[in-house]
Amino acid sequence: MPLYRSGRKGNQNKPLSCSSNMTSTLQDLAVQLFDAGAVRLEDIEAKVGRRTPIYFDLRVIVSHPKLMVAVSHQLEKLIKDVHHDMICGVPYAALPLAVVISINTDRPMIMKRKETKLYATKKLLEGVYQKNQTCLVVEDVVTSGGSLLETVETLRKEGLIVTHAVIVLEREQGGASVLEANGITVKSLFTLTNLVRMLHKAGRIDNDTVELIFDHIKECQFGTKDNLE
């Protein structure tokens, strides 16, 4: 018997249907992400070494172009009033979103490597930029804030100004506070709480699973003194 139960009925292997008006509401987007497999309900070990009953895998949306465009469109709404000269996606899950946003907004993009190039230019950052330009960071999920903070630190070492990050899901486990303590204002499409409520309202997850996830948020918190990854 599975540890976590989905309230969704019918064929769960049915391909996602992406309608032309899929950006109409965040409620719709939450359901479409769930149906695409970007939200997984299972006992899984997260990157930060702690177990979680819900996992957000945004990498799958590269196989759903209309969904990827829909998520990017909603992120664009969040950054409308945020000054930035360029965009950088945290590798690797956020890179496709950063590309779409860059194209849609006609804003230059730079790319951070996960490791320094060991030949030719040996760059850690790819693209054209100048010191004191402002860079907006794009991320898929913030839990501890470690991955995003690592990208921010790399950008700042290159002389770029970084004050804002836009993300799809803020898990409410302390990461946003860690980032704010490091001078980063976080704007998110979803918090884990409102994402779970939307999926419950849509009948995708049941009451027991909602309670389990809410307990997990309270019990698993990160702070500035944690060893962030």
Side-chain angles (χ1 to χ4, degrees), residues 24-69:
S24 56
T25 67
L26 286 177
Q27 171 80 38
D28 295 335
L29 192 57
V31 172
Q32 288 152 4
L33 286 167
F34 183 91
D35 291 351
V39 183
R40 294 163 51 189
L41 302 174
E42 57 184 292
D43 181 23
I44 191 169
E45 184 176 352
K47 179 181 177 182
V48 290
R50 305 186 191 186
R51 305 202 71 83
T52 176
I54 184 169
Y55 184 68
F56 198 67
D57 183 12
L58 207 65
R59 293 170 182 82
V60 303
I61 71 170
V62 297
S63 297
H64 302 283
K66 290 183 179 179
L67 180 55
M68 185 163 59
V69 169

Short mmCIF file of all heavy atoms in Angstrom, two decimals, residues 24-69:
data_model
loop_
_atom_site.label_atom_id
_atom_site.label_comp_id
_atom_site.label_asym_id
_atom_site.label_seq_id
_atom_site.Cartn_x
_atom_site.Cartn_y
_atom_site.Cartn_z
N SER A 24 -4.64 30.57 -17.40
CA SER A 24 -5.76 31.35 -16.88
C SER A 24 -5.68 31.57 -15.38
O SER A 24 -5.92 32.67 -14.90
CB SER A 24 -7.09 30.67 -17.24
OG SER A 24 -7.12 29.34 -16.78
N THR A 25 -5.33 30.53 -14.60
CA THR A 25 -5.21 30.70 -13.15
C THR A 25 -4.07 29.83 -12.62
O THR A 25 -3.67 28.84 -13.25
CB THR A 25 -6.49 30.28 -12.43
OG1 THR A 25 -6.67 28.86 -12.57
CG2 THR A 25 -7.71 31.00 -12.97
N LEU A 26 -3.57 30.21 -11.45
CA LEU A 26 -2.55 29.39 -10.80
C LEU A 26 -3.13 28.05 -10.37
O LEU A 26 -2.42 27.05 -10.31
CB LEU A 26 -1.96 30.13 -9.60
CG LEU A 26 -1.02 31.29 -9.91
CD1 LEU A 26 -0.58 31.98 -8.62
CD2 LEU A 26 0.19 30.81 -10.69
N GLN A 27 -4.43 28.03 -10.06
CA GLN A 27 -5.10 26.77 -9.72
C GLN A 27 -4.98 25.79 -10.88
O GLN A 27 -4.62 24.63 -10.70
CB GLN A 27 -6.57 27.04 -9.40
CG GLN A 27 -7.43 25.78 -9.25
CD GLN A 27 -7.29 25.13 -7.89
OE1 GLN A 27 -7.18 25.82 -6.87
NE2 GLN A 27 -7.30 23.81 -7.85
N ASP A 28 -5.26 26.26 -12.10
CA ASP A 28 -5.13 25.42 -13.28
C ASP A 28 -3.69 24.93 -13.44
O ASP A 28 -3.45 23.76 -13.74
CB ASP A 28 -5.54 26.19 -14.55
CG ASP A 28 -7.01 26.57 -14.56
OD1 ASP A 28 -7.80 25.89 -13.89
OD2 ASP A 28 -7.35 27.56 -15.24
N LEU A 29 -2.76 25.84 -13.26
CA LEU A 29 -1.35 25.51 -13.44
C LEU A 29 -0.89 24.46 -12.43
O LEU A 29 -0.13 23.55 -12.77
CB LEU A 29 -0.50 26.78 -13.31
CG LEU A 29 0.95 26.68 -13.76
CD1 LEU A 29 1.06 26.24 -15.22
CD2 LEU A 29 1.66 28.01 -13.55
N ALA A 30 -1.35 24.58 -11.20
CA ALA A 30 -1.00 23.60 -10.17
C ALA A 30 -1.46 22.20 -10.58
O ALA A 30 -0.70 21.22 -10.45
CB ALA A 30 -1.63 24.00 -8.84
N VAL A 31 -2.68 22.10 -11.08
CA VAL A 31 -3.22 20.80 -11.50
C VAL A 31 -2.44 20.26 -12.69
O VAL A 31 -2.13 19.07 -12.77
CB VAL A 31 -4.72 20.93 -11.84
CG1 VAL A 31 -5.25 19.64 -12.46
CG2 VAL A 31 -5.52 21.28 -10.59
N GLN A 32 -2.11 21.12 -13.65
CA GLN A 32 -1.38 20.68 -14.83
C GLN A 32 0.03 20.20 -14.47
O GLN A 32 0.53 19.23 -15.04
CB GLN A 32 -1.34 21.82 -15.85
CG GLN A 32 -2.70 22.07 -16.51
CD GLN A 32 -2.88 23.51 -16.97
OE1 GLN A 32 -1.98 24.33 -16.88
NE2 GLN A 32 -4.07 23.81 -17.46
N LEU A 33 0.66 20.86 -13.50
CA LEU A 33 1.97 20.41 -13.04
C LEU A 33 1.87 19.04 -12.37
O LEU A 33 2.71 18.17 -12.58
CB LEU A 33 2.56 21.43 -12.06
CG LEU A 33 3.07 22.73 -12.70
CD1 LEU A 33 3.35 23.78 -11.62
CD2 LEU A 33 4.33 22.48 -13.51
N PHE A 34 0.82 18.85 -11.59
CA PHE A 34 0.61 17.56 -10.94
C PHE A 34 0.38 16.46 -11.98
O PHE A 34 0.99 15.39 -11.92
CB PHE A 34 -0.59 17.63 -9.99
CG PHE A 34 -0.84 16.37 -9.22
CD1 PHE A 34 -0.26 16.17 -7.97
CD2 PHE A 34 -1.66 15.37 -9.74
CE1 PHE A 34 -0.49 15.00 -7.27
CE2 PHE A 34 -1.89 14.20 -9.04
CZ PHE A 34 -1.31 14.00 -7.79
N ASP A 35 -0.48 16.74 -12.94
CA ASP A 35 -0.82 15.75 -13.95
C ASP A 35 0.37 15.42 -14.85
O ASP A 35 0.44 14.32 -15.43
CB ASP A 35 -2.00 16.22 -14.79
CG ASP A 35 -3.31 16.26 -14.01
OD1 ASP A 35 -3.33 15.75 -12.87
OD2 ASP A 35 -4.30 16.81 -14.53
N ALA A 36 1.30 16.36 -14.99
CA ALA A 36 2.49 16.13 -15.81
C ALA A 36 3.57 15.35 -15.06
O ALA A 36 4.56 14.93 -15.66
CB ALA A 36 3.07 17.46 -16.29
N GLY A 37 3.37 15.15 -13.76
CA GLY A 37 4.35 14.42 -12.96
C GLY A 37 5.40 15.30 -12.31
O GLY A 37 6.38 14.80 -11.76
N ALA A 38 5.18 16.62 -12.33
CA ALA A 38 6.12 17.54 -11.70
C ALA A 38 5.97 17.57 -10.18
O ALA A 38 6.87 18.01 -9.47
CB ALA A 38 5.95 18.95 -12.26
N VAL A 39 4.81 17.12 -9.68
CA VAL A 39 4.56 17.01 -8.24
C VAL A 39 4.37 15.54 -7.92
O VAL A 39 3.44 14.90 -8.41
CB VAL A 39 3.32 17.81 -7.82
CG1 VAL A 39 3.13 17.73 -6.30
CG2 VAL A 39 3.42 19.26 -8.27
N ARG A 40 5.27 15.00 -7.11
CA ARG A 40 5.24 13.57 -6.80
C ARG A 40 4.99 13.36 -5.31
O ARG A 40 5.62 13.99 -4.47
CB ARG A 40 6.57 12.92 -7.21
CG ARG A 40 6.79 12.92 -8.72
CD ARG A 40 8.23 12.66 -9.08
NE ARG A 40 8.77 11.47 -8.43
CZ ARG A 40 10.06 11.14 -8.47
NH1 ARG A 40 10.92 11.92 -9.09
NH2 ARG A 40 10.48 10.05 -7.87
N LEU A 41 4.07 12.45 -5.01
CA LEU A 41 3.74 12.12 -3.63
C LEU A 41 4.35 10.78 -3.28
O LEU A 41 3.84 9.73 -3.66
CB LEU A 41 2.21 12.06 -3.46
CG LEU A 41 1.44 13.34 -3.82
CD1 LEU A 41 -0.05 13.09 -3.73
CD2 LEU A 41 1.86 14.50 -2.93
N GLU A 42 5.47 10.82 -2.58
CA GLU A 42 6.14 9.60 -2.15
C GLU A 42 7.19 9.94 -1.11
O GLU A 42 7.60 11.10 -0.99
CB GLU A 42 6.80 8.90 -3.34
CG GLU A 42 7.80 9.76 -4.10
CD GLU A 42 8.35 9.05 -5.32
OE1 GLU A 42 9.08 8.06 -5.14
OE2 GLU A 42 8.05 9.48 -6.44
N ASP A 43 7.62 8.95 -0.37
CA ASP A 43 8.67 9.15 0.62
C ASP A 43 10.00 9.14 -0.12
O ASP A 43 10.45 8.10 -0.60
CB ASP A 43 8.62 8.03 1.66
CG ASP A 43 9.68 8.20 2.73
OD1 ASP A 43 10.12 9.34 2.94
OD2 ASP A 43 10.07 7.18 3.34
N ILE A 44 10.64 10.30 -0.22
CA ILE A 44 11.84 10.41 -1.04
C ILE A 44 12.90 11.20 -0.30
O ILE A 44 12.60 12.09 0.50
CB ILE A 44 11.49 11.09 -2.40
CG1 ILE A 44 12.66 10.97 -3.38
CG2 ILE A 44 11.11 12.54 -2.20
CD1 ILE A 44 12.28 11.37 -4.79
N GLU A 45 14.17 10.86 -0.53
CA GLU A 45 15.27 11.60 0.07
C GLU A 45 15.60 12.79 -0.80
O GLU A 45 15.92 12.65 -1.98
CB GLU A 45 16.51 10.71 0.23
CG GLU A 45 17.65 11.43 0.94
CD GLU A 45 18.85 10.55 1.19
OE1 GLU A 45 18.74 9.32 0.96
OE2 GLU A 45 19.89 11.07 1.63
N ALA A 46 15.51 13.97 -0.24
CA ALA A 46 15.77 15.20 -0.98
C ALA A 46 17.27 15.46 -1.05
O ALA A 46 18.07 14.81 -0.37
CB ALA A 46 15.06 16.37 -0.32
N LYS A 47 17.63 16.44 -1.87
CA LYS A 47 19.05 16.78 -2.06
C LYS A 47 19.72 17.18 -0.75
O LYS A 47 20.90 16.89 -0.53
CB LYS A 47 19.16 17.93 -3.07
CG LYS A 47 20.58 18.41 -3.33
CD LYS A 47 20.59 19.56 -4.31
CE LYS A 47 22.01 20.09 -4.52
NZ LYS A 47 22.05 21.25 -5.44
N VAL A 48 18.98 17.83 0.11
CA VAL A 48 19.56 18.31 1.37
C VAL A 48 19.70 17.21 2.42
O VAL A 48 20.09 17.48 3.54
CB VAL A 48 18.70 19.46 1.94
CG1 VAL A 48 18.84 20.70 1.09
CG2 VAL A 48 17.25 19.06 2.07
N GLY A 49 19.42 15.96 2.05
CA GLY A 49 19.66 14.84 2.93
C GLY A 49 18.55 14.51 3.90
O GLY A 49 18.70 13.66 4.78
N ARG A 50 17.40 15.16 3.77
CA ARG A 50 16.25 14.87 4.61
C ARG A 50 15.15 14.29 3.74
O ARG A 50 15.07 14.55 2.56
CB ARG A 50 15.76 16.15 5.31
CG ARG A 50 16.83 16.87 6.10
CD ARG A 50 16.25 18.04 6.86
NE ARG A 50 17.29 18.90 7.43
CZ ARG A 50 17.05 19.92 8.23
NH1 ARG A 50 15.81 20.21 8.58
NH2 ARG A 50 18.04 20.66 8.70
N ARG A 51 14.30 13.50 4.34
CA ARG A 51 13.23 12.87 3.59
C ARG A 51 12.02 13.81 3.49
O ARG A 51 11.79 14.64 4.36
CB ARG A 51 12.84 11.54 4.23
CG ARG A 51 14.01 10.58 4.41
CD ARG A 51 13.57 9.15 4.53
NE ARG A 51 13.09 8.63 3.26
CZ ARG A 51 13.90 8.15 2.30
NH1 ARG A 51 15.21 8.16 2.45
NH2 ARG A 51 13.38 7.67 1.18
N THR A 52 11.27 13.65 2.41
CA THR A 52 10.11 14.51 2.17
C THR A 52 8.96 13.68 1.61
O THR A 52 9.19 12.75 0.82
CB THR A 52 10.46 15.65 1.19
OG1 THR A 52 9.27 16.41 0.92
CG2 THR A 52 11.01 15.11 -0.12
N PRO A 53 7.72 13.99 2.01
CA PRO A 53 6.56 13.26 1.48
C PRO A 53 6.07 13.83 0.14
O PRO A 53 5.18 13.26 -0.47
CB PRO A 53 5.51 13.45 2.56
CG PRO A 53 5.83 14.79 3.15
CD PRO A 53 7.33 14.91 3.10
N ILE A 54 6.63 14.95 -0.30
CA ILE A 54 6.21 15.55 -1.57
C ILE A 54 7.45 16.10 -2.27
O ILE A 54 8.27 16.78 -1.66
CB ILE A 54 5.15 16.65 -1.37
CG1 ILE A 54 4.67 17.20 -2.73
CG2 ILE A 54 5.64 17.74 -0.45
CD1 ILE A 54 3.42 18.09 -2.61
N TYR A 55 7.58 15.77 -3.54
CA TYR A 55 8.77 16.16 -4.30
C TYR A 55 8.35 16.90 -5.55
O TYR A 55 7.43 16.49 -6.25
CB TYR A 55 9.59 14.91 -4.67
CG TYR A 55 10.88 15.22 -5.38
CD1 TYR A 55 11.93 15.85 -4.71
CD2 TYR A 55 11.07 14.86 -6.71
CE1 TYR A 55 13.12 16.13 -5.35
CE2 TYR A 55 12.27 15.13 -7.36
CZ TYR A 55 13.29 15.76 -6.67
OH TYR A 55 14.46 16.03 -7.32
N PHE A 56 9.03 18.00 -5.82
CA PHE A 56 8.72 18.84 -6.98
C PHE A 56 9.82 18.67 -8.01
O PHE A 56 10.95 19.10 -7.80
CB PHE A 56 8.62 20.30 -6.51
CG PHE A 56 7.90 21.20 -7.48
CD1 PHE A 56 6.55 21.05 -7.72
CD2 PHE A 56 8.57 22.23 -8.13
CE1 PHE A 56 5.88 21.90 -8.58
CE2 PHE A 56 7.92 23.08 -8.99
CZ PHE A 56 6.56 22.91 -9.22
N ASP A 57 9.50 18.02 -9.13
CA ASP A 57 10.48 17.72 -10.18
C ASP A 57 10.12 18.48 -11.45
O ASP A 57 9.45 17.97 -12.33
CB ASP A 57 10.51 16.22 -10.44
CG ASP A 57 11.57 15.84 -11.46
OD1 ASP A 57 12.41 16.70 -11.79
OD2 ASP A 57 11.55 14.69 -11.93
N LEU A 58 10.60 19.72 -11.54
CA LEU A 58 10.23 20.57 -12.66
C LEU A 58 10.94 20.17 -13.96
O LEU A 58 10.58 20.66 -15.03
CB LEU A 58 10.54 22.03 -12.33
CG LEU A 58 9.68 23.07 -13.04
CD1 LEU A 58 8.23 22.95 -12.61
CD2 LEU A 58 10.19 24.48 -12.77
N ARG A 59 11.91 19.29 -13.88
CA ARG A 59 12.62 18.86 -15.08
C ARG A 59 11.69 18.22 -16.10
O ARG A 59 11.96 18.26 -17.31
CB ARG A 59 13.75 17.90 -14.72
CG ARG A 59 14.88 18.54 -13.93
CD ARG A 59 15.83 17.48 -13.38
NE ARG A 59 16.90 18.06 -12.58
CZ ARG A 59 16.78 18.40 -11.31
NH1 ARG A 59 15.62 18.22 -10.68
NH2 ARG A 59 17.79 18.93 -10.65
N VAL A 60 10.61 17.63 -15.65
CA VAL A 60 9.72 16.91 -16.57
C VAL A 60 9.01 17.84 -17.54
O VAL A 60 8.56 17.41 -18.60
CB VAL A 60 8.67 16.07 -15.81
CG1 VAL A 60 9.33 15.09 -14.86
CG2 VAL A 60 7.68 16.96 -15.06
N ILE A 61 8.91 19.14 -17.23
CA ILE A 61 8.12 20.00 -18.10
C ILE A 61 8.82 20.31 -19.42
O ILE A 61 8.20 20.86 -20.32
CB ILE A 61 7.68 21.31 -17.41
CG1 ILE A 61 8.86 22.25 -17.18
CG2 ILE A 61 6.94 21.02 -16.12
CD1 ILE A 61 8.41 23.64 -16.73
N VAL A 62 10.09 19.94 -19.54
CA VAL A 62 10.74 20.11 -20.85
C VAL A 62 10.08 19.23 -21.90
O VAL A 62 10.20 19.47 -23.10
CB VAL A 62 12.26 19.81 -20.79
CG1 VAL A 62 12.95 20.79 -19.86
CG2 VAL A 62 12.53 18.37 -20.37
N SER A 63 9.36 18.21 -21.45
CA SER A 63 8.62 17.33 -22.36
C SER A 63 7.20 17.81 -22.60
O SER A 63 6.44 17.17 -23.33
CB SER A 63 8.59 15.90 -21.81
OG SER A 63 9.89 15.37 -21.70
N HIS A 64 6.84 18.93 -21.98
CA HIS A 64 5.51 19.53 -22.15
C HIS A 64 5.70 21.01 -22.49
O HIS A 64 5.59 21.88 -21.61
CB HIS A 64 4.69 19.39 -20.87
CG HIS A 64 4.50 17.98 -20.43
ND1 HIS A 64 3.60 17.13 -21.02
CD2 HIS A 64 5.11 17.26 -19.46
CE1 HIS A 64 3.65 15.95 -20.42
NE2 HIS A 64 4.56 16.00 -19.47
N PRO A 65 6.01 21.33 -23.75
CA PRO A 65 6.35 22.72 -24.13
C PRO A 65 5.32 23.76 -23.72
O PRO A 65 5.69 24.84 -23.24
CB PRO A 65 6.49 22.63 -25.66
CG PRO A 65 6.82 21.20 -25.93
CD PRO A 65 6.08 20.42 -24.89
N LYS A 66 4.04 23.47 -23.91
CA LYS A 66 3.01 24.45 -23.57
C LYS A 66 2.96 24.71 -22.07
O LYS A 66 2.73 25.83 -21.63
CB LYS A 66 1.65 24.00 -24.08
CG LYS A 66 1.52 24.04 -25.60
CD LYS A 66 0.13 23.66 -26.05
CE LYS A 66 0.01 23.73 -27.58
NZ LYS A 66 -1.34 23.35 -28.05
N LEU A 67 3.21 23.68 -21.29
CA LEU A 67 3.24 23.84 -19.84
C LEU A 67 4.45 24.67 -19.43
O LEU A 67 4.36 25.53 -18.54
CB LEU A 67 3.27 22.47 -19.16
CG LEU A 67 3.31 22.45 -17.63
CD1 LEU A 67 2.16 23.24 -17.03
CD2 LEU A 67 3.30 21.01 -17.12
N MET A 68 5.58 24.43 -20.06
CA MET A 68 6.79 25.20 -19.77
C MET A 68 6.57 26.68 -20.09
O MET A 68 6.98 27.57 -19.33
CB MET A 68 7.97 24.66 -20.56
CG MET A 68 9.29 25.32 -20.23
SD MET A 68 10.71 24.36 -20.78
CE MET A 68 10.40 24.29 -22.55
N VAL A 69 5.90 26.96 -21.20
CA VAL A 69 5.59 28.34 -21.57
C VAL A 69 4.62 28.96 -20.56
O VAL A 69 4.76 30.12 -20.18
CB VAL A 69 4.99 28.40 -22.99
CG1 VAL A 69 4.42 29.78 -23.28
CG2 VAL A 69 6.06 28.05 -24.02
#
